Amino acid sequence: MADALPNPNFNSSAHDNIPKVSAYYHTRAAHHGVVTSDWLAQAQAAVGHDPADDITANSSSPDSRKPFSVIDESNNWRRQPDLAEAVAAIRALAAVIRSSEATTMMELEIELKRASDSLKSWDTTSISLTAGCDLFMRFVTRTSALEYEDFNSAKSRLLERAEKFGEISYKARKTIAMLSQDFIFDGCTILVHGFSRLVLEVLKLAAQNKKLFRVFCTEGRPDQTRLPLSNELAKLDVPVKLLIDSAVAYSMDEADMIFVGADGVVESGGIINMMGTYQIALVAHSMNKPVYVAAESYKFARLYPLDQKDLTPAFCPIDFGVPIPSKVEVETSARDYTPPQYLTLLFTDLGVLTPSVVSDELIQLYL
Amino acid sequence: MDARRTSRTVIDPKIRQVGFVTPGAPPDRTQSGPPESSSPPVADMSPAGNSLSPVMIPPPRHASDNLLLHASRAVPPISPIRRPGDSIAVGSYNQSDVFLGTSPTTTISPSSKIVDGEFSEELMSPGWAARGGNSGKVAASSFPSGGVDLMPVKSNIPSSSLTTVSVVNLPPGVSEKAGKESIEVQNDRAGSSKPLKEKTSKAERRALQESQRAAKAAAREGKAAGGASAAANPGNAKPANAAKPPPQKKDSASIAASEKKGGERPQEKDRKKEVPPPRMQFDDKSRVEKAKKRAVVKQTEARNRVELFRHLPQYEHGTQLPYLETKFFQLDPMHPAVYKVGLRYLAGDISGGNARCIAMLQAFQQAIGDYSTPPEKALIRDLTAKISSYVSFLIQCRPLSISMGNAIRFLKSRIAKLPINLLESEAKATLQSDIDRFINEKIILAVKVIVRHAVSKIRDGDVLLTYGSPSAVEMILLYAHELGKQFRVVVVDSRPKLEGQLLLRRLVERGIRCTYAHINAISYIMHEVSRVFLGASSILSNGTVYSRVGTASVAMVAHAFRVPVLVCCEAYKFHERVQLDSICSNELGDPDVISKVPGRKDVNYLVDWANNENLQLLNLTYDATPSDYVSMIITDYGMVPPTSVPVIVREYRREQLWI
């Protein structure tokens, strides 16, 4: 599948020297702008020949249509710096509906299914991508549209829903930033772990609202998340203090609240996030500090990890600066699972939720 | 349920009552002009009744009601009072008919169904199944305050016309007096009555019945008119079922008898008791006595019962089985299949929630197959009553589990939803296929889905612990083994049932590596375990897992060791009730079993325990595991946290009832 086009995505390990690196890591890297400019350039080169409009892409290459064009389309969208991966996927799926040449509802649904499957298999480790695709399928197909007599009106109805969903997802970040303002009070100290654009948005809005607060920013090894985040915050004139990851407990008593993003929110209400979130949550819990999670609702996934090892692992390269003897094992997991009892609230575009509501929402969406 | 809510819903019907009450007033009107006459009853009412009423009755509505009064009165003025005998009886009957006609639902069939449903609920109320039909129960429980009170107000119409009818034969002064009396009684009652909104159709139905009956009686009395009947009449206006006049009792034994049984009896009962408790409390002596009289199964109560658990039934074990067996061929009302299942419950041959539920449903299926509607009865009503009687029999054999309660509730709702015009054979076939579908979809398929979900949580190298012999967990383990997963099982068991040995045997036969331990060793064995799989008898809506006694300890120890606890439970066993402890609802087993140690004659310290007043043995069957100790619930709707149980109950209860 991947060799028909010079697809940079899933097989990017072929280009890299590090063998065990998940696409998940690349996505992160792309977002953080740390490693990746070259990767992104590659990606752009790969999809560059595609016109922006997907329809023409489809008509121009009818032989190898669906799976590729979906991914390309999603990459197209991803080139926008601010667009989350899942939203890009959602937009791409909407484009699939638009450009579909199917003549029956069933055909369209199958096509959509295939597209979303190929998107998902493109990066199996990304929770938000999988969840976003699943949710899109639910949201779009679970409608009375399927009962329309006329296929075209049904299709336009689907398209309408698809675009609405894309819009909701796109606006989610703003909604969440607004919702979380009530929780940031003057003079507070916020400890932030990982680089979440959502958290950044929240902090940005708070700064714009003339709130006075201080940010502790963890180093976030191995992704070096401190760099983009501290840069952005410094631009906003927010006082920032950098901590090494092992200094979290040391400075926890100064912090008033913890703010983290999430790669995925699972059914138990817990979150899957960058490595280190769990231990920060544990420390915060033992010191009675609230842990707030900012996550869009398209990150809600039908997963239920029982413990840390109960996840699809995502690996990342770790640079220790010195060569490591081959006999020594290195833990390369890129993320961990934080159980719901250590989280205080989730800020989502559905509102401010307690962890247990996640499952309620998921049940209503999926069942 | 609670008085507050009923009084709030009262408001609306109350306005209508004004309309209903006053037609009885025409006698009063003879003394004064029409406009004044309309006001006195209303004015009378408000002080006597709820202080709410003057505030609550909205003026426009009130006025229109008054208009309605006038309009309706425009017809009757010509009627009663000064006309003699028979013609009046007819007239008054029509009049009441007119009034009933104004009310929304007076069709006979649906409300008659309700009446019967309530009758059946009444029948089964002593036990637990009644709570299975929870919604029905609510109706029944609220009934005493609502329906009964509402009824007399309306039944007044015929009864008061009755008074006037008989009164005609008396000297004018007396008639006047009697009339006034009846009015006063009416007004009093109108004030105190608290009709429920939902009850109106039922009450109206009853009012219609009442009016018909009264009309019959009136016709008869009109002929027989004597001092005796006149004397009886003031009493006639007494509340509730007293609306049925005494003379009628003697006269109309023939036709009205059947009708009376259906309509009147539950009323009498309901009036006596207040809101019935959700289940039979066995420490209530008088009620236990009553239940005993009705009981088919004669059981002797155990001695030396533990004080805290006196509200639960406990019988001498093994006393009733031979007795029942001798009665096998005499027991007419019970279907043999149901009887057989009951006996097997009693003997303990069938245990396990699913097995018991399936056995019960299949017995019902047979009973429905052999059922034929008796003449002059409707299938819907009669069959519901039949099922209720079966259920109360089964309860006497062994208290129902929540899953069985849900299944019964399902079956009853299916019966109630049958279209009326369906042929009997069709109806029976529908019900039987419904039961089949319930068994297939809610039990058998559900377990399969659970197995699929649960297997995804078993990894190579896991050590799985299970307690007792839950059927779902057994299937999970076997399926995981089939898939070639490498794991080890720890089967934890407990006295006195030692069900785990059966499971152990079946697992070892398939070549699964097992460890067998008693629950005493749980804290020792737990540190090597990576997952705990438990079954459940029921899961309540606060996430509490109601399961075989000992489950809570296992879950607690696992929690302390940070081992995930997975509870496997089909969604049909979920219940919207909330329970905080294992005391208020539980089942007591035979205490003798725990006093004896099988195979050890030398351990005989408790031989005569029943004769020692100071010694009480407790053999509990279930316990409640708080949701904190449960990591995940695996159900046919997927894997959910215990906090999501109410969501599933809310989202799917409806669907389950409709299927």
Side-chain angles (χ1 to χ4, degrees):
Chain A
M1 162 197 131
D3 44 7
L5 280 173
N7 198 327
N9 310 321
F10 194 51
N11 293 16
S12 56
S13 50
H15 306 285
D16 280 358
N17 299 327
I18 310 123
K20 248 176 46 172
V21 175
S22 310
Y24 163 79
Y25 175 70
H26 286 289
T27 311
R28 287 194 72 84
H31 288 163
H32 302 159
V34 186
V35 196
T36 87
S37 41
D38 63 330
W39 176 76
L40 206 63
Q42 249 179 349
Q44 276 176 2
V47 294
H49 75 273
D50 260 11
D53 196 351
D54 200 49
I55 305 165
T56 49
N58 275 329
S59 50
S60 67
S61 58
D63 48 354
S64 60
R65 270 191 328 205
K66 269 320 129 198
F68 291 19
S69 70
V70 161
I71 290 167
D72 293 348
E73 177 72 16
S74 118
N75 280 333
N76 247 344
W77 285 109
R78 276 152 62 99
R79 268 182 296 174
Q80 294 189 18
D82 258 355
L83 211 56
E85 174 187 32
V87 178
I90 288 163
R91 294 259 161 109
L93 285 175
V96 169
I97 299 182
R98 199 179 304 121
S99 63
S100 165
E101 287 154 13
T103 48
T104 63
M105 218 54 217
M106 208 54 211
E107 222 177 302
L108 183 63
E109 230 180 303
I110 291 168
E111 210 168 300
L112 208 54
K113 183 89 180 63
R114 205 182 301 134
S116 97
D117 281 348
S118 67
L119 263 180
K120 281 193 269 182
S121 64
W122 174 76
D123 181 359
T124 47
T125 48
S126 166
I127 295 163
S128 67
L129 181 66
T130 313
C133 287
D134 285 351
L135 278 178
F136 177 85
M137 293 296 286
R138 285 278 158 178
F139 187 83
V140 169
T141 54
R142 235 193 177 195
T143 156
S144 53
L146 305 178
E147 283 146 31
Y148 281 111
E149 297 251 323
D150 178 22
F151 172 71
N152 279 330
S153 65
K155 191 176 159 187
S156 64
R157 175 100 181 91
L158 278 192
L159 203 56
E160 202 178 291
R161 270 179 87 79
E163 260 149 24
K164 194 174 155 216
F165 188 69
E167 203 60 23
I168 292 172
S169 311
Y170 181 64
K171 285 187 180 153
R173 213 176 279 169
K174 292 224 158 44
T175 319
I176 293 165
M178 297 240 296
L179 280 173
S180 50
Q181 289 311 303
D182 292 344
F183 293 83
I184 299 174
F185 50 90
D186 275 340
C188 67
T189 306
I190 303 169
L191 194 148
V192 177
H193 180 71
F195 177 74
S196 153
R197 278 169 297 177
L198 201 47
V199 172
L200 183 62
E201 185 83 23
V202 169
L203 297 179
K204 252 186 201 167
L205 190 65
Q208 276 165 17
N209 289 348
K210 304 265 189 291
K211 299 213 177 193
L212 298 172
F213 60 97
R214 192 155 67 118
V215 175
F216 284 179
C217 184
T218 58
E219 186 186 16
R221 291 254 297 153
D223 282 1
Q224 311 289 331
T225 55
R226 71 198 145 96
L227 291 174
L229 192 63
S230 55
N231 289 350
E232 291 282 342
L233 290 173
K235 270 187 230 161
L236 296 169
D237 277 344
V238 174
V240 186
K241 190 179 189 180
L242 278 175
L243 312 172
I244 53 171
D245 289 333
S246 38
V248 166
Y250 171 79
S251 27
M252 186 59 83
D253 58 341
E254 280 181 74
D256 291 306
M257 63 187 78
I258 321 299
F259 249 100
V260 290
D263 286 342
V265 181
V266 297
E267 193 143 11
S268 61
I271 56 164
I272 294 169
N273 196 26
M274 197 185 113
M275 186 60 88
T277 310
Y278 181 35
Q279 82 193 26
I280 290 177
L282 275 175
V283 172
H285 183 75
S286 71
M287 296 201 184
N288 278 334
K289 307 284 182 189
V291 179
Y292 298 131
V293 178
E296 298 93 334
S297 62
Y298 59 72
K299 285 179 177 166
F300 287 14
R302 288 220 81 185
L303 294 171
Y304 202 132
L306 285 168
D307 49 36
Q308 300 299 329
K309 305 292 175 322
D310 203 6
L311 301 167
T312 331
F315 299 107
C316 63
I318 297 176
D319 180 19
F320 285 96
V322 288
I324 307 270
S326 60
K327 281 180 188 168
V328 175
E329 249 187 296
V330 177
E331 175 66 68
T332 52
S333 259
R335 54 194 184 189
D336 58 16
Y337 163 63
T338 310
Q341 62 262 38
Y342 302 114
L343 306 177
T344 313
L345 287 173
L346 295 159
F347 300 144
T348 74
D349 44 324
L350 304 171
V352 180
L353 313 177
T354 59
S356 62
V357 183
V358 174
S359 156
D360 301 6
E361 295 291 340
L362 279 170
I363 287 173
Q364 281 173 10
L365 275 169
Y366 279 98
L367 294 178
Chain B
M1 279 189 200
D2 50 343
R4 247 183 301 131
R5 211 188 293 170
T6 51
S7 69
R8 206 172 295 151
T9 47
V10 157
I11 302 155
D12 195 5
K14 187 166 237 170
I15 300 166
R16 262 186 277 147
Q17 257 174 51
V18 178
F20 278 118
V21 171
T22 34
D28 203 41
R29 206 171 60 95
T30 52
Q31 293 150 359
S32 55
E36 285 94 276
S37 77
S38 77
S39 55
V42 177
D44 262 9
M45 249 187 70
S46 46
N50 254 337
S51 55
L52 283 175
S53 57
V55 187
M56 295 308 215
I57 296 176
R61 187 80 190 268
H62 192 27
S64 71
D65 255 70
N66 271 346
L67 278 181
L68 202 145
L69 280 189
H70 288 303
S72 58
R73 251 202 240 125
V75 187
I78 324 148
S79 73
I81 319 137
R82 276 158 224 169
R83 284 216 204 150
D86 285 307
S87 64
I88 296 166
V90 176
S92 61
Y93 176 39
N94 284 344
Q95 178 201 350
S96 68
D97 228 0
V98 166
F99 275 106
L100 290 164
T102 57
S103 57
T105 49
T106 33
T107 43
I108 293 165
S109 45
S111 45
S112 69
K113 194 198 306 166
I114 295 168
V115 167
D116 195 83
E118 167 192 305
F119 176 63
S120 61
E121 287 291 349
E122 178 52 37
L123 254 183
M124 51 186 271
S125 69
W128 195 83
R131 81 175 16 258
N134 221 349
S135 53
K137 195 69 203 162
V138 170
S141 68
S142 55
F143 175 66
S145 67
V148 170
D149 284 343
L150 174 61
M151 202 223 70
V153 177
K154 288 178 184 166
S155 70
N156 254 331
I157 303 156
S159 69
S160 72
S161 70
L162 229 176
T163 13
T164 51
V165 168
S166 51
V167 149
V168 176
N169 295 343
L170 291 173
V174 182
S175 80
E176 199 74 354
K177 206 174 156 191
K180 260 188 202 163
E181 242 176 54
S182 70
I183 293 157
E184 270 166 26
V185 173
Q186 283 165 27
N187 286 343
D188 275 1
R189 256 175 286 133
S192 64
S193 67
K194 288 179 188 166
L196 272 177
K197 207 186 258 173
E198 53 192 290
K199 289 288 107 65
T200 46
S201 68
K202 186 199 294 176
E204 277 157 11
R205 155 77 182 139
R206 195 160 292 134
L208 193 108
Q209 266 186 358
E210 217 75 43
S211 70
Q212 285 167 345
R213 204 170 299 137
K216 262 179 227 157
R220 221 168 272 127
E221 268 173 78
K223 283 168 200 157
S229 68
N233 280 328
N236 190 10
K238 270 183 206 153
N241 54 347
K244 162 187 64 182
Q248 192 198 3
K249 230 176 209 169
K250 294 172 211 155
D251 290 3
S252 57
S254 54
I255 315 158
S258 64
E259 214 180 336
K260 229 187 289 168
K261 261 187 187 162
E264 304 275 290
R265 213 204 295 156
Q267 271 177 46
E268 277 171 47
K269 269 188 197 159
D270 278 337
R271 209 159 55 91
K272 267 179 237 157
K273 61 180 176 190
E274 306 81 56
V275 182
R279 72 176 65 201
M280 176 91 167
Q281 298 288 307
F282 282 80
D283 45 358
D284 183 344
K285 287 239 174 61
S286 64
R287 205 159 284 171
V288 170
E289 283 306 314
K290 255 182 243 163
K292 253 190 191 165
K293 273 177 211 153
R294 268 184 304 210
V296 185
V297 189
K298 293 276 179 290
Q299 297 188 321
T300 30
E301 280 191 42
R303 285 180 293 168
N304 292 6
R305 289 155 62 188
V306 179
E307 192 54 44
L308 198 54
F309 289 91
R310 270 186 188 275
H311 60 288
L312 301 171
Q314 188 173 25
Y315 302 111
E316 295 271 3
H317 226 70
T319 50
Q320 64 284 48
L321 198 56
Y323 168 78
L324 272 180
E325 273 166 350
T326 57
K327 280 193 90 179
F328 189 81
F329 297 104
Q330 306 161 19
L331 219 73
D332 190 36
M334 216 47 65
H335 189 275
V338 178
Y339 200 74
K340 195 169 123 197
V341 169
L343 286 188
R344 293 181 70 190
Y345 287 168
L346 202 54
D349 289 353
I350 311 178
S351 64
N354 285 345
R356 275 168 75 197
C357 192
I358 292 176
M360 178 191 74
L361 285 175
Q362 281 169 345
F364 284 167
Q365 211 172 10
Q366 280 187 38
I368 289 172
D370 296 340
Y371 170 84
S372 63
T373 319
E376 295 167 31
K377 280 190 179 168
L379 177 131
I380 293 174
R381 286 196 268 162
D382 191 56
L383 191 56
T384 315
K386 260 270 172 7
I387 297 284
S388 302
S389 70
Y390 294 159
V391 168
S392 58
F393 167 74
L394 291 181
I395 291 170
Q396 284 162 23
C397 294
R398 188 180 164 184
L400 296 185
S401 65
I402 287 178
S403 54
M404 292 160 79
N406 283 343
I408 292 165
R409 204 203 298 194
F410 161 79
L411 180 58
K412 284 195 169 178
S413 80
R414 294 306 303 177
I415 295 175
K417 299 265 155 46
L418 284 176
I420 292 166
N421 50 7
L422 215 58
L423 285 179
E424 187 181 304
S425 57
E426 285 171 354
K428 278 158 61 176
T430 326
L431 286 179
Q432 281 175 322
S433 72
D434 278 344
I435 292 177
D436 267 336
R437 272 178 65 198
F438 187 87
I439 293 176
N440 278 328
E441 288 177 15
K442 296 288 166 193
I443 303 178
I444 294 172
L445 272 178
V447 173
K448 281 187 183 154
V449 174
I450 288 173
V451 168
R452 288 288 143 80
H453 283 303
V455 161
S456 69
K457 289 294 165 202
I458 299 178
R459 295 168 304 187
D460 281 346
D462 267 350
V463 179
L464 313 175
L465 184 143
T466 185
Y467 173 71
S469 174
S471 56
V473 174
E474 182 181 337
M475 289 174 77
I476 291 166
L477 297 177
L478 293 180
Y479 185 65
H481 185 66
E482 265 173 44
L483 292 182
K485 300 211 177 197
Q486 296 298 313
F487 62 92
R488 197 158 67 85
V489 178
V490 179
V491 178
V492 176
D493 208 352
S494 74
R495 292 194 60 233
K497 286 205 172 169
L498 298 178
E499 291 161 313
Q501 293 185 351
L502 266 173
L503 173 70
L504 186 72
R505 185 189 177 135
R506 286 190 286 251
L507 292 182
V508 170
E509 264 173 10
R510 298 293 188 93
I512 300 175
R513 289 194 297 145
C514 291
T515 307
Y516 181 73
H518 269 216
I519 195 165
N520 321 28
I522 187 82
S523 63
Y524 167 76
I525 206 94
M526 191 57 85
H527 73 89
E528 60 189 67
V529 172
S530 56
R531 298 268 189 280
V532 174
F533 280 93
L534 297 174
S537 163
S538 167
I539 297 182
L540 310 172
S541 69
N542 58 344
T544 300
V545 176
Y546 188 67
S547 185
R548 178 107 189 77
V549 69
T551 305
S553 335
V554 173
M556 267 183 239
V557 174
H559 180 77
F561 279 80
R562 297 282 182 270
V563 178
V565 177
L566 296 88
V567 176
C568 309
C569 182
E570 300 83 350
Y572 86 102
K573 292 178 177 173
F574 287 13
H575 199 272
E576 60 264 27
R577 192 155 44 115
V578 164
Q579 202 172 310
L580 301 174
D581 55 37
S582 28
I583 298 169
C584 60
S585 117
N586 211 320
E587 198 181 320
L588 299 179
D590 180 11
D592 276 329
V593 180
I594 54 172
S595 69
K596 286 179 196 141
V597 181
R600 292 217 30 205
K601 288 272 189 290
D602 53 322
V603 186
N604 54 1
Y605 316 112
L606 293 176
V607 171
D608 261 352
W609 71 273
N611 295 328
N612 188 343
E613 284 295 313
N614 295 326
L615 178 61
Q616 295 145 356
L617 297 191
L618 178 64
N619 179 12
L620 278 179
T621 311
Y622 296 106
D623 66 11
T625 310
S627 61
D628 302 351
Y629 304 131
V630 179
S631 323
M632 176 197 279
I633 290 169
I634 305 178
T635 169
D636 27 338
Y637 296 116
M639 297 180 278
V640 298
T643 50
S644 288
V645 174
V647 185
I648 288 183
V649 170
R650 165 161 45 90
E651 297 284 311
Y652 295 102
R653 182 62 70 214
R654 231 175 302 127
E655 182 202 305
Q656 182 177 331
L657 286 178
W658 299 99
I659 274 206

